């Protein structure tokens, strides 16, 4: 499992001639830190990073808001059609992405949104993705009803209960959804590939793919770029590890 | 008397209407998303699948012609379907088994568990493009890590990405590398097995192997089913690796179905044909999922209540 990563880091710190040695050396000598500088300045990675953040941050905030709202509606309110609609939400998970990708692309072409960041920001915000709604719903169902009943007795409306009582109690699920959403957007390739064409609009993942095309045999630079792109996701993971497992436990497989 | 009764009834009805409106208010972002980016596009895509369209000139209605072409005339359609099914038939059981084995090992808690959990999850954290870059170097015929290992144990070098006969093995190896998410789900499932069942089995004198088969596997069967279905759906849609690592080659040996559909739509601008292909995929995934639920659903053990 870990071997490929060691190989990546080791290769990223070698000289060009040391990369082309068989059998390979594991310890780079001398260590070439400047590979990273060279790789990251080979293409405008700072622009790519900025674009990625411009997508990731609004999507993250929007997803947390709308997915938790939907989750609240499905978990804590009663209204006709609720369970049917929830099944519709869940069945979306079975739909291959390519089926809607084609018509949605045509739609955005008509709107003139191709080569803007909008197609990557607006759809995920609306509803926040069925899986996230599911996570929120499962979590909200575990919060005792007494709390919201008491507030209702005092004359509080659902918006107040959602915002002031339920959300503050939901830090674990908020963290889990935030992490999943951040990663999905940080790592997404096919969305940017479809919609972003000019260099000034590209995201990190798409930029790395361009880099792969341009420097296809400069392995030390490619490995440096790949390592650099992976590091933010790794740091996030190491700090938030427990939320991943909590997220899975939350899906409450036994209760599906 | 009567007016008071009506007003009470009115109040009750009014409260019900209010509650329904409030409920729909909360799920409205999701409903809007589903209407705009799911139901609308699905209808549109179904219409597109009955047309011939290059995006530039207006679409021409051709009825079921696209489906006829795919099934009868398009050799690449069958190639891509074969490639995808072949990949799936090995990758899904392989990853399912490996993920379960890894989860069982981790559940024994022999070593610091969280560290190992992190290591297994690392590949899933790596951006897909970064892992493609990494694997291209690992599979490099001359200087790659894999051939170094083969050389080390005295085996001949393999043309991992160049030979059409071998390239699928490379993809299976990559699939094996990213079992982390599946494994975490198994691990969570294992934590949910009641300890009392193991204690009861021990009282009956069951050994570790017997406990695995009589307690763990039946208790875990809903999780296995879940992983199987999700694994199938995801594996059938593999795209990025085929697109970036091999571009469908060599000799179309990794022309995965979604990659072929993508090319039809966005490289050759055959939007109508691509829409038909996507509906065929949708139908396959649906039938597959329903079939699994029908045939295995009964064998799955659910806790009463």
């Amino acid at each position: 499992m870990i071997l490929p990563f060691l190989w990546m880091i080791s290769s990223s710190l070698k000289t060009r001639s040391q990369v082309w040695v068989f059998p390979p050396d594991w310890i780079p000598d001398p260590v070439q830190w400047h590979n990273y500088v060279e790789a990251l300045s080979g293409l405008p990675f700072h622009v790519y990073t900025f674009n990625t953040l411009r997508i990731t941050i609004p999507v993250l905030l929007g997803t947390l808001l709308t997915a938790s709202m939907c989750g609240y509606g499905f978990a804590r309110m009663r209204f006709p059609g609720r369970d049917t609609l929830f099944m519709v939400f869940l069945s979306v998970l079975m739909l291959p992405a390519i089926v809607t990708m084609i018509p949605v692309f045509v739609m955005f072409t008509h709107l003139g949104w191709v080569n803007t960041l909008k197609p990557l920001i607006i759809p995920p915000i609306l509803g926040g993705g069925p899986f996230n709604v599911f996570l929120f719903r499962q979590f909200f169902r575990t919060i005792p009803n007494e709390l919201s009943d008491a507030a209702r007795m005092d004359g509080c409306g659902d918006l107040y209960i959602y915002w002031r009582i339920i959300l503050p109690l939901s830090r674990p699920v908020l963290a889990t959804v935030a992490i999943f959403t951040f990663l999905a957007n940080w790592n997404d390739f096919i969305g940017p590939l479809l919609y972003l064409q000019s260099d000034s609009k590209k995201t990190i993942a798409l930029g790395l793919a361009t880099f792969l095309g341009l420097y296809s045999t400069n392995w030390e630079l490619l490995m440096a770029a790949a390592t650099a792109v992976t590091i933010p996701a790794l740091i996030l993971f190491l700090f938030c590890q427990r939320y991943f497992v909590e997220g899975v436990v939350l899906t409450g497989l036994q209760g599906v | 008397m009567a007016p008071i009764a009506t007003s009470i009834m009115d109040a009750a009805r009014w409260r019900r209407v209010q509650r329904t409106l409030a409920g729909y208010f909360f799920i409205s972002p999701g409903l809007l998303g589903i209407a705009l980016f799911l139901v609308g596009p699905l209808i549109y895509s179904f219409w597109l699948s009955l047309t011939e369209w290059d995006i530039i000139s207006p679409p021409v209605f051709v009825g079921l012609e696209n489906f006829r072409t795919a099934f009868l005339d398009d050799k690449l359609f069958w190639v891509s379907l074969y490639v995808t099914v072949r990949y799936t038939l090995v990758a899904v059981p392989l990853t399912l088994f490996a993920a379960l084995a890894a989860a069982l090992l981790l559940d024994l808690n022999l070593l610091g568990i969280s560290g190992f959990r992190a290591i297994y999850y690392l590949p899933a954290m790596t951006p897909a493009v970064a892992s493609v870059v990494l694997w291209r170097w690992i599979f490099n015929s001359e200087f790659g890590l894999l051939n170094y290992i083969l050389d080390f144990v005295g085996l001949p070098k393999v043309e991992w990405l160049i030979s059409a006969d071998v390239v699928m093995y490379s993809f299976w190896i990559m699939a094996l590398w990213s079992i982390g998410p599946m494994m975490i789900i198994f691990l969570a499932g294992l934590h949910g097995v009641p300890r009392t069942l193991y204690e009861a089995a021990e009282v009956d004198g069951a050994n570790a192997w017997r406990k695995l088969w009589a307690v763990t596997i039946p208790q875990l069967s809903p999780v296995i089913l879940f992983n199987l279905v999700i694994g199938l759906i995801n594996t059938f849609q593999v795209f990025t690796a085929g697109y970036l690592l091999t571009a469908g080659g060599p000799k179309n040996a990794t022309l995965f179905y979604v990659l072929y559909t993508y090319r039809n739509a966005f490289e050759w601008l055959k939007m109508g044909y691509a829409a038909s292909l996507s509906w065929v995929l949708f139908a396959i995934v649906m039938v597959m999922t329903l079939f699994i639920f029908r045939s295995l659903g009964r064998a799955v053990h659910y806790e009463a209540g």
Side-chain angles (χ1 to χ4, degrees), chain B residues 191-233:
Chain B
H191 288 311
V193 179
R195 295 290 132 190
T196 48
L197 289 179
Y198 290 112
E199 284 155 18
E202 270 157 31
V203 170
D204 292 343
N207 60 15
W209 185 249
R210 183 92 189 98
K211 272 191 284 184
L212 174 68
W213 281 103
V215 179
T216 311
I217 301 285
Q219 285 287 318
L220 216 52
S221 53
V223 186
I224 298 175
L225 182 72
F226 175 85
N227 267 335
L228 173 69
V229 171
I230 298 290
L232 274 174
I233 293 176

Short mmCIF file of all heavy atoms in Angstrom, two decimals, chain B residues 191-233:
data_model
loop_
_atom_site.label_atom_id
_atom_site.label_comp_id
_atom_site.label_asym_id
_atom_site.label_seq_id
_atom_site.Cartn_x
_atom_site.Cartn_y
_atom_site.Cartn_z
N HIS B 191 -17.61 -3.68 13.52
CA HIS B 191 -17.81 -3.11 14.85
C HIS B 191 -19.26 -3.29 15.31
O HIS B 191 -19.53 -3.26 16.50
CB HIS B 191 -17.47 -1.62 14.86
CG HIS B 191 -15.99 -1.37 14.78
ND1 HIS B 191 -15.10 -2.03 15.58
CD2 HIS B 191 -15.26 -0.57 13.98
CE1 HIS B 191 -13.87 -1.63 15.28
NE2 HIS B 191 -13.95 -0.75 14.30
N GLY B 192 -20.16 -3.47 14.33
CA GLY B 192 -21.57 -3.58 14.67
C GLY B 192 -22.01 -4.99 15.05
O GLY B 192 -23.14 -5.19 15.48
N VAL B 193 -21.11 -5.99 14.88
CA VAL B 193 -21.49 -7.37 15.22
C VAL B 193 -21.52 -7.50 16.75
O VAL B 193 -20.54 -7.22 17.41
CB VAL B 193 -20.49 -8.38 14.61
CG1 VAL B 193 -20.89 -9.80 14.99
CG2 VAL B 193 -20.43 -8.21 13.10
N PRO B 194 -22.65 -7.93 17.31
CA PRO B 194 -22.75 -8.02 18.77
C PRO B 194 -21.74 -9.00 19.35
O PRO B 194 -21.63 -10.13 18.86
CB PRO B 194 -24.19 -8.53 19.00
CG PRO B 194 -24.90 -8.32 17.72
CD PRO B 194 -23.89 -8.34 16.64
N ARG B 195 -21.01 -8.56 20.37
CA ARG B 195 -19.99 -9.42 21.00
C ARG B 195 -20.61 -10.69 21.58
O ARG B 195 -19.97 -11.73 21.65
CB ARG B 195 -19.26 -8.67 22.10
CG ARG B 195 -18.44 -7.48 21.63
CD ARG B 195 -17.22 -7.90 20.84
NE ARG B 195 -17.16 -7.11 19.60
CZ ARG B 195 -16.34 -7.33 18.58
NH1 ARG B 195 -15.49 -8.33 18.63
NH2 ARG B 195 -16.34 -6.59 17.51
N THR B 196 -21.87 -10.56 22.02
CA THR B 196 -22.50 -11.71 22.68
C THR B 196 -22.57 -12.92 21.77
O THR B 196 -22.49 -14.06 22.23
CB THR B 196 -23.93 -11.34 23.13
OG1 THR B 196 -24.60 -10.73 22.03
CG2 THR B 196 -23.92 -10.39 24.30
N LEU B 197 -22.70 -12.66 20.42
CA LEU B 197 -22.77 -13.79 19.48
C LEU B 197 -21.47 -14.58 19.50
O LEU B 197 -21.48 -15.81 19.46
CB LEU B 197 -23.05 -13.26 18.07
CG LEU B 197 -24.45 -12.72 17.83
CD1 LEU B 197 -24.57 -12.22 16.41
CD2 LEU B 197 -25.49 -13.81 18.08
N TYR B 198 -20.33 -13.84 19.57
CA TYR B 198 -19.04 -14.54 19.62
C TYR B 198 -18.91 -15.31 20.92
O TYR B 198 -18.42 -16.44 20.95
CB TYR B 198 -17.89 -13.53 19.50
CG TYR B 198 -17.78 -12.92 18.13
CD1 TYR B 198 -18.06 -11.58 17.92
CD2 TYR B 198 -17.38 -13.70 17.04
CE1 TYR B 198 -17.96 -11.01 16.67
CE2 TYR B 198 -17.28 -13.14 15.78
CZ TYR B 198 -17.57 -11.81 15.59
OH TYR B 198 -17.47 -11.26 14.35
N GLU B 199 -19.38 -14.69 22.01
CA GLU B 199 -19.29 -15.37 23.30
C GLU B 199 -20.11 -16.65 23.30
O GLU B 199 -19.65 -17.70 23.76
CB GLU B 199 -19.77 -14.42 24.41
CG GLU B 199 -18.72 -13.37 24.75
CD GLU B 199 -19.33 -12.12 25.36
OE1 GLU B 199 -20.48 -12.17 25.82
OE2 GLU B 199 -18.63 -11.07 25.35
N ALA B 200 -21.31 -16.55 22.71
CA ALA B 200 -22.16 -17.74 22.63
C ALA B 200 -21.48 -18.83 21.80
O ALA B 200 -21.50 -20.01 22.16
CB ALA B 200 -23.50 -17.37 22.01
N ALA B 201 -20.85 -18.40 20.69
CA ALA B 201 -20.17 -19.37 19.82
C ALA B 201 -19.01 -20.04 20.58
O ALA B 201 -18.77 -21.23 20.45
CB ALA B 201 -19.66 -18.68 18.56
N GLU B 202 -18.32 -19.22 21.41
CA GLU B 202 -17.20 -19.78 22.17
C GLU B 202 -17.68 -20.80 23.19
O GLU B 202 -17.04 -21.84 23.39
CB GLU B 202 -16.44 -18.64 22.88
CG GLU B 202 -15.32 -18.09 22.02
CD GLU B 202 -14.94 -16.67 22.42
OE1 GLU B 202 -15.07 -16.34 23.62
OE2 GLU B 202 -14.52 -15.91 21.53
N VAL B 203 -18.81 -20.49 23.81
CA VAL B 203 -19.39 -21.44 24.77
C VAL B 203 -19.67 -22.77 24.08
O VAL B 203 -19.45 -23.84 24.63
CB VAL B 203 -20.68 -20.85 25.39
CG1 VAL B 203 -21.42 -21.92 26.20
CG2 VAL B 203 -20.34 -19.66 26.27
N ASP B 204 -20.13 -22.67 22.81
CA ASP B 204 -20.41 -23.89 22.05
C ASP B 204 -19.15 -24.54 21.51
O ASP B 204 -19.23 -25.52 20.77
CB ASP B 204 -21.36 -23.57 20.88
CG ASP B 204 -22.75 -23.20 21.39
OD1 ASP B 204 -23.03 -23.51 22.56
OD2 ASP B 204 -23.52 -22.61 20.62
N GLY B 205 -17.99 -23.97 21.82
CA GLY B 205 -16.72 -24.57 21.43
C GLY B 205 -16.30 -24.32 20.00
O GLY B 205 -15.57 -25.11 19.41
N ALA B 206 -16.77 -23.22 19.40
CA ALA B 206 -16.39 -22.92 18.03
C ALA B 206 -14.97 -22.36 17.97
O ALA B 206 -14.58 -21.58 18.84
CB ALA B 206 -17.38 -21.91 17.43
N ASN B 207 -14.21 -22.76 16.95
CA ASN B 207 -12.88 -22.17 16.78
C ASN B 207 -12.98 -20.92 15.93
O ASN B 207 -14.07 -20.53 15.47
CB ASN B 207 -11.91 -23.20 16.17
CG ASN B 207 -12.40 -23.68 14.81
OD1 ASN B 207 -13.27 -23.07 14.20
ND2 ASN B 207 -11.83 -24.78 14.35
N ALA B 208 -11.84 -20.27 15.67
CA ALA B 208 -11.84 -18.97 14.97
C ALA B 208 -12.47 -19.09 13.58
O ALA B 208 -13.26 -18.25 13.16
CB ALA B 208 -10.41 -18.45 14.87
N TRP B 209 -12.12 -20.16 12.88
CA TRP B 209 -12.61 -20.37 11.52
C TRP B 209 -14.13 -20.53 11.50
O TRP B 209 -14.84 -19.93 10.70
CB TRP B 209 -11.92 -21.62 10.95
CG TRP B 209 -12.24 -21.89 9.52
CD1 TRP B 209 -12.97 -22.93 9.04
CD2 TRP B 209 -11.85 -21.11 8.38
NE1 TRP B 209 -13.06 -22.85 7.68
CE2 TRP B 209 -12.37 -21.74 7.24
CE3 TRP B 209 -11.10 -19.93 8.22
CZ2 TRP B 209 -12.19 -21.25 5.95
CZ3 TRP B 209 -10.91 -19.43 6.94
CH2 TRP B 209 -11.45 -20.09 5.83
N ARG B 210 -14.61 -21.33 12.46
CA ARG B 210 -16.05 -21.59 12.57
C ARG B 210 -16.78 -20.29 12.92
O ARG B 210 -17.86 -20.02 12.41
CB ARG B 210 -16.24 -22.65 13.66
CG ARG B 210 -17.67 -23.09 13.86
CD ARG B 210 -18.02 -24.31 13.01
NE ARG B 210 -19.47 -24.54 13.10
CZ ARG B 210 -20.35 -24.12 12.17
NH1 ARG B 210 -19.94 -23.51 11.09
NH2 ARG B 210 -21.64 -24.34 12.33
N LYS B 211 -16.18 -19.48 13.82
CA LYS B 211 -16.81 -18.22 14.21
C LYS B 211 -16.91 -17.28 13.01
O LYS B 211 -17.92 -16.60 12.83
CB LYS B 211 -15.98 -17.54 15.32
CG LYS B 211 -16.39 -17.98 16.71
CD LYS B 211 -15.76 -17.12 17.78
CE LYS B 211 -14.30 -17.46 17.96
NZ LYS B 211 -13.66 -16.71 19.05
N LEU B 212 -15.87 -17.31 12.17
CA LEU B 212 -15.89 -16.46 10.98
C LEU B 212 -17.08 -16.81 10.10
O LEU B 212 -17.83 -15.94 9.64
CB LEU B 212 -14.57 -16.62 10.21
CG LEU B 212 -14.49 -15.91 8.87
CD1 LEU B 212 -14.47 -14.40 9.06
CD2 LEU B 212 -13.27 -16.35 8.08
N TRP B 213 -17.27 -18.12 9.87
CA TRP B 213 -18.31 -18.54 8.93
C TRP B 213 -19.71 -18.54 9.53
O TRP B 213 -20.69 -18.31 8.83
CB TRP B 213 -17.99 -19.93 8.36
CG TRP B 213 -16.95 -19.81 7.29
CD1 TRP B 213 -15.64 -20.10 7.41
CD2 TRP B 213 -17.13 -19.28 5.98
NE1 TRP B 213 -14.98 -19.80 6.25
CE2 TRP B 213 -15.88 -19.30 5.35
CE3 TRP B 213 -18.24 -18.79 5.28
CZ2 TRP B 213 -15.68 -18.85 4.05
CZ3 TRP B 213 -18.05 -18.34 3.98
CH2 TRP B 213 -16.77 -18.37 3.38
N ALA B 214 -19.80 -18.81 10.84
CA ALA B 214 -21.13 -18.93 11.45
C ALA B 214 -21.62 -17.60 12.02
O ALA B 214 -22.82 -17.41 12.15
CB ALA B 214 -21.10 -20.00 12.53
N VAL B 215 -20.70 -16.72 12.39
CA VAL B 215 -21.13 -15.46 13.01
C VAL B 215 -20.80 -14.26 12.12
O VAL B 215 -21.68 -13.52 11.68
CB VAL B 215 -20.48 -15.27 14.40
CG1 VAL B 215 -20.91 -13.94 15.01
CG2 VAL B 215 -20.83 -16.43 15.31
N THR B 216 -19.50 -14.08 11.82
CA THR B 216 -19.08 -12.86 11.16
C THR B 216 -19.71 -12.69 9.79
O THR B 216 -20.34 -11.67 9.50
CB THR B 216 -17.54 -12.84 11.02
OG1 THR B 216 -16.99 -13.16 12.29
CG2 THR B 216 -17.06 -11.47 10.60
N ILE B 217 -19.57 -13.70 8.93
CA ILE B 217 -20.04 -13.56 7.55
C ILE B 217 -21.55 -13.34 7.48
O ILE B 217 -22.01 -12.41 6.80
CB ILE B 217 -19.59 -14.77 6.68
CG1 ILE B 217 -18.06 -14.88 6.68
CG2 ILE B 217 -20.14 -14.67 5.27
CD1 ILE B 217 -17.33 -13.87 5.84
N PRO B 218 -22.36 -14.14 8.19
CA PRO B 218 -23.81 -13.87 8.12
C PRO B 218 -24.17 -12.50 8.68
O PRO B 218 -25.01 -11.80 8.10
CB PRO B 218 -24.42 -14.98 9.01
CG PRO B 218 -23.40 -16.03 9.08
CD PRO B 218 -22.07 -15.36 8.96
N GLN B 219 -23.53 -12.10 9.77
CA GLN B 219 -23.84 -10.80 10.35
C GLN B 219 -23.45 -9.67 9.40
O GLN B 219 -24.04 -8.61 9.39
CB GLN B 219 -23.09 -10.62 11.68
CG GLN B 219 -23.70 -11.40 12.82
CD GLN B 219 -25.01 -10.80 13.30
OE1 GLN B 219 -25.14 -9.59 13.41
NE2 GLN B 219 -26.00 -11.64 13.55
N LEU B 220 -22.39 -9.95 8.64
CA LEU B 220 -21.84 -8.91 7.76
C LEU B 220 -22.53 -8.90 6.40
O LEU B 220 -22.26 -8.03 5.58
CB LEU B 220 -20.34 -9.19 7.59
CG LEU B 220 -19.38 -8.00 7.48
CD1 LEU B 220 -19.59 -7.03 8.62
CD2 LEU B 220 -17.95 -8.47 7.42
N SER B 221 -23.43 -9.86 6.14
CA SER B 221 -23.93 -10.01 4.78
C SER B 221 -24.61 -8.76 4.21
O SER B 221 -24.45 -8.48 3.02
CB SER B 221 -24.82 -11.24 4.67
OG SER B 221 -25.83 -11.21 5.64
N PRO B 222 -25.33 -7.95 5.00
CA PRO B 222 -25.87 -6.72 4.38
C PRO B 222 -24.77 -5.79 3.89
O PRO B 222 -24.90 -5.16 2.85
CB PRO B 222 -26.67 -6.06 5.51
CG PRO B 222 -26.87 -7.10 6.54
CD PRO B 222 -25.73 -8.06 6.41
N VAL B 223 -23.67 -5.73 4.67
CA VAL B 223 -22.55 -4.87 4.28
C VAL B 223 -21.88 -5.41 3.02
O VAL B 223 -21.49 -4.65 2.13
CB VAL B 223 -21.53 -4.76 5.43
CG1 VAL B 223 -20.45 -3.76 5.09
CG2 VAL B 223 -22.23 -4.36 6.71
N ILE B 224 -21.75 -6.74 2.94
CA ILE B 224 -21.16 -7.34 1.75
C ILE B 224 -22.01 -7.01 0.53
O ILE B 224 -21.50 -6.61 -0.52
CB ILE B 224 -21.01 -8.87 1.92
CG1 ILE B 224 -20.08 -9.18 3.10
CG2 ILE B 224 -20.49 -9.52 0.64
CD1 ILE B 224 -19.95 -10.65 3.43
N LEU B 225 -23.33 -7.14 0.69
CA LEU B 225 -24.24 -6.84 -0.42
C LEU B 225 -24.09 -5.37 -0.84
O LEU B 225 -23.99 -5.05 -2.03
CB LEU B 225 -25.68 -7.13 0.00
CG LEU B 225 -26.73 -6.89 -1.07
CD1 LEU B 225 -26.66 -7.95 -2.15
CD2 LEU B 225 -28.13 -6.85 -0.48
N PHE B 226 -24.04 -4.48 0.16
CA PHE B 226 -23.89 -3.05 -0.12
C PHE B 226 -22.60 -2.79 -0.90
O PHE B 226 -22.62 -2.13 -1.94
CB PHE B 226 -23.88 -2.29 1.22
CG PHE B 226 -23.62 -0.82 1.09
CD1 PHE B 226 -24.67 0.05 0.82
CD2 PHE B 226 -22.34 -0.30 1.23
CE1 PHE B 226 -24.44 1.42 0.71
CE2 PHE B 226 -22.11 1.06 1.12
CZ PHE B 226 -23.16 1.92 0.85
N ASN B 227 -21.49 -3.34 -0.42
CA ASN B 227 -20.21 -3.13 -1.10
C ASN B 227 -20.22 -3.72 -2.50
O ASN B 227 -19.62 -3.17 -3.42
CB ASN B 227 -19.08 -3.75 -0.29
CG ASN B 227 -18.45 -2.74 0.65
OD1 ASN B 227 -18.52 -1.53 0.41
ND2 ASN B 227 -17.85 -3.23 1.72
N LEU B 228 -20.88 -4.87 -2.65
CA LEU B 228 -20.94 -5.52 -3.97
C LEU B 228 -21.68 -4.62 -4.96
O LEU B 228 -21.19 -4.38 -6.07
CB LEU B 228 -21.65 -6.87 -3.84
CG LEU B 228 -21.95 -7.60 -5.16
CD1 LEU B 228 -20.65 -8.07 -5.80
CD2 LEU B 228 -22.87 -8.79 -4.93
N VAL B 229 -22.82 -4.09 -4.55
CA VAL B 229 -23.62 -3.27 -5.46
C VAL B 229 -22.89 -1.97 -5.80
O VAL B 229 -22.74 -1.61 -6.96
CB VAL B 229 -25.02 -2.98 -4.85
CG1 VAL B 229 -25.76 -1.95 -5.68
CG2 VAL B 229 -25.81 -4.26 -4.75
N ILE B 230 -22.40 -1.28 -4.76
CA ILE B 230 -21.69 -0.03 -4.99
C ILE B 230 -20.44 -0.28 -5.84
O ILE B 230 -20.14 0.47 -6.78
CB ILE B 230 -21.29 0.64 -3.65
CG1 ILE B 230 -22.55 0.99 -2.86
CG2 ILE B 230 -20.43 1.86 -3.87
CD1 ILE B 230 -23.36 2.12 -3.43
N GLY B 231 -19.74 -1.39 -5.53
CA GLY B 231 -18.54 -1.74 -6.28
C GLY B 231 -18.86 -1.96 -7.76
O GLY B 231 -18.16 -1.46 -8.65
N LEU B 232 -19.92 -2.69 -8.04
CA LEU B 232 -20.32 -2.95 -9.43
C LEU B 232 -20.65 -1.65 -10.15
O LEU B 232 -20.19 -1.40 -11.27
CB LEU B 232 -21.53 -3.88 -9.47
CG LEU B 232 -21.26 -5.37 -9.43
CD1 LEU B 232 -22.57 -6.13 -9.33
CD2 LEU B 232 -20.50 -5.80 -10.67
N ILE B 233 -21.47 -0.82 -9.50
CA ILE B 233 -21.89 0.42 -10.15
C ILE B 233 -20.67 1.30 -10.46
O ILE B 233 -20.54 1.84 -11.55
CB ILE B 233 -22.90 1.17 -9.25
CG1 ILE B 233 -24.21 0.37 -9.16
CG2 ILE B 233 -23.19 2.56 -9.79
CD1 ILE B 233 -25.24 0.96 -8.22
#
